Amino acid sequence: METAATNWGAVALGICIAAGLVWGLLFFLRQNRQDLESLEQTLRADSDESEDGPPGPA
């Protein structure tokens, strides 16, 4: 009777895939936060410009 041996190649592959998914998620969230900050700055700049300009037609 054989005992189940651990397939270390499959374990290493699983660890690499999990690490890649975590890295991808962190990269996505970091980029998303930078995009949000950029958008907020753009919106603030646009609202400042619209307050300083002459009134336009409503």
Side-chain angles (χ1 to χ4, degrees):
M1 178 185 264
E2 292 184 28
T3 56
T6 302
N7 186 347
W8 291 109
V11 171
L13 179 62
I15 290 172
C16 288
I17 290 172
L21 289 172
V22 169
W23 180 85
L25 179 64
L26 291 174
F27 179 80
F28 172 76
L29 292 175
R30 188 179 310 123
Q31 187 64 40
N32 204 17
R33 184 178 63 233
Q34 290 173 354
D35 290 345
L36 177 62
E37 291 170 357
S38 174
L39 177 61
E40 288 173 342
Q41 288 176 354
T42 302
L43 291 174
R44 277 193 299 265
D46 287 350
S47 68
D48 290 345
E49 288 174 5
S50 65
E51 290 173 1
D52 294 340

